[in-house]
Amino acid sequence: MDGSLIGGSPAVRLAAQDTPAKGPAFVEATVLPGRGMMLLQARLRLASGEVIDAIVAPDAEGAARALNGGPDDFAGNASFSFGGAILAPYANRIRGRAVAGAREIETKIAGHSVRLPANWGGKAPGAERYAMHGLILATPVPWRQPEPDRVTGRLEAGDFGGRWPGRAALDFEWRLQGGGLHLTVTATNAGETPLPIGFGWHPYFALPSGDRRQARLWLPARSHVLVDNYDEVLPTGQVEPVADGAYDFTALGGRALGEAYLDDCFIGLRRQNGEAVAELCDPAAGLGLRIASASPQVSAFQAYAPPDKAFVALEPQFNLADPYGGEWNGRDTGMAQVAPGATVTYAVSVTAFAPGNR
């Protein structure tokens, strides 16, 4: 990075201090505290010794243009168009009634009426507008870097500018350790009433070979959520088993993506050693990535993979889309309810491996 400010803060570069001598490993990362502590880039050393960008993102100049008041940045939207945005106090979509004369929706969160930015929606004529990916996408976070391989931040989020019930404080940590990239976000209920909260992370993992057809996804989930279409991508409230179907990525070693389009939420996760996991392999590049969360509240993985793009976004998240929507008929949709003074933690780790060595 060139030291320019993004969201009013400098980009923070992390450098690994204990990288394993052999094998793929994360060696650098760049975090943007001025944009909700999002990840801009992570650099990965392959088994061959070559160092590549593991995340799809523009260079410093391009990121600054997009994130410093760019034309497509209403409510921080540009943060989830590349890199890896942190999503809080909810992930995915929330529906509501359009507010006349405002780019807002009105809806109920845990029984409380709120107004959220209507920052996303389908592109087809007449498509619904809704709130997308939380309320910290463009929020500056006070930060410090206690070690070269670690950055922390604390956001006294309160009621997220009057848009959310309850009061929250969020503590962030990014670190490079043991060849892996690690994210931890802890929410503390700083109010006197229960705090509803959901977390997610939206990383665009690059396929270094550029050959998306042969890339393989392993996602041990029992079911996926049905949506109305791939334009609005709104849940119908119906859930379908994946076994032996087009959305079955449970086989050992995964399944080639081919020409499949994905913008789907996978649930009923089969945890491995207590972790919710997914793996993305690019055999042509000799690279595999394992995305894992030990947080018991992570109930879903959203997978976004257009067939004409050399990336896959794999998003471990607490909650399903539209978690308070009537289509769920009282189903547990994954939002945490944090008691006053209590905490909940979202933790994700990404590690790299050479597929042939597994």
Side-chain angles (χ1 to χ4, degrees):
M1 301 297 290
D2 64 0
S4 60
L5 300 182
I6 296 180
S9 297
V12 180
R13 178 181 171 272
L14 307 185
Q17 303 297 295
D18 62 348
T19 307
K22 296 182 179 179
F26 285 94
V27 293
E28 295 179 11
T30 303
V31 175
L32 301 180
R35 297 290 298 203
M37 296 294 287
M38 72 176 283
L39 178 75
L40 178 60
Q41 188 54 267
R43 301 272 288 162
L44 178 64
R45 186 197 66 204
L46 300 177
S48 65
E50 179 186 3
V51 177
I52 64 166
D53 291 339
I55 302 293
V56 174
D59 61 15
E61 185 177 340
R65 281 198 304 269
L67 299 174
N68 285 334
D72 300 320
D73 196 32
F74 172 65
N77 284 356
S79 290
F80 62 82
S81 64
F82 53 77
I86 298 172
L87 316 178
Y90 60 90
N92 220 304
R93 295 146 175 82
I94 289 183
R95 304 174 72 180
R97 180 184 63 83
V99 177
R103 297 177 71 179
E104 295 180 327
I105 59 168
E106 188 171 44
T107 191
K108 284 195 172 181
I109 302 299
H112 299 268
S113 292
V114 298
R115 286 190 176 189
L116 301 175
N119 60 318
W120 204 252
K123 295 179 174 59
E128 183 175 339
R129 306 296 296 177
Y130 42 77
M132 185 75 156
H133 286 338
L135 299 171
I136 67 167
L137 296 168
T139 301
V141 177
W143 62 279
R144 57 188 295 268
Q145 189 173 15
E147 292 94 23
D149 55 1
R150 178 171 168 257
V151 62
T152 64
R154 181 174 177 85
L155 176 64
E156 299 291 349
D159 59 3
F160 296 88
R163 293 191 179 276
W164 199 254
R167 300 191 64 80
L170 304 181
D171 288 286
F172 303 84
E173 180 188 68
W174 284 102
R175 72 185 187 280
L176 294 170
Q177 185 177 33
L181 174 68
H182 308 274
L183 166 65
T184 304
V185 188
T186 298
T188 301
N189 184 343
E192 298 179 354
T193 59
L195 171 71
I197 199 158
F199 284 113
W201 179 47
H202 197 296
Y204 287 85
F205 294 113
L207 300 172
S209 72
D211 184 359
R212 189 262 193 193
R213 288 180 55 86
Q214 55 84 54
R216 304 184 70 84
L217 173 63
W218 177 65
L219 212 171
R222 296 178 179 86
S223 308
H224 79 110
V225 174
L226 299 185
V227 296
D228 57 351
N229 54 64
Y230 276 142
D231 182 40
E232 294 173 317
V233 202
L234 293 169
T236 66
Q238 296 177 295
V239 172
E240 182 178 77
V242 301
D244 302 320
Y247 298 93
D248 189 349
F249 294 93
T250 63
L252 190 66
R255 176 178 181 170
L257 292 174
E259 296 296 335
Y261 182 99
L262 293 176
D263 195 354
D264 291 271
C265 183
F266 292 83
I267 63 174
L269 305 178
R270 293 185 172 95
R271 301 179 82 89
Q272 309 288 313
N273 299 318
E275 294 184 318
V277 296
E279 290 185 354
L280 176 64
C281 288
D282 186 349
L287 175 65
L289 296 174
R290 179 181 176 90
I291 302 93
S293 174
S295 299
Q297 294 83 7
V298 168
S299 66
F301 265 93
Q302 184 82 14
Y304 174 54
D308 60 342
K309 303 293 184 182
F311 69 74
V312 177
L314 285 172
E315 310 162 41
Q317 53 195 42
F318 278 20
N319 62 280
L320 308 185
D322 196 29
Y324 295 101
E327 68 271 22
W328 293 114
N329 293 315
R331 181 190 183 107
D332 181 3
T333 55
M335 292 291 288
Q337 194 81 348
V338 185
T343 64
V344 66
T345 296
Y346 175 76
V348 180
S349 296
V350 186
T351 52
F353 60 91
N357 295 334
R358 297 301 293 271

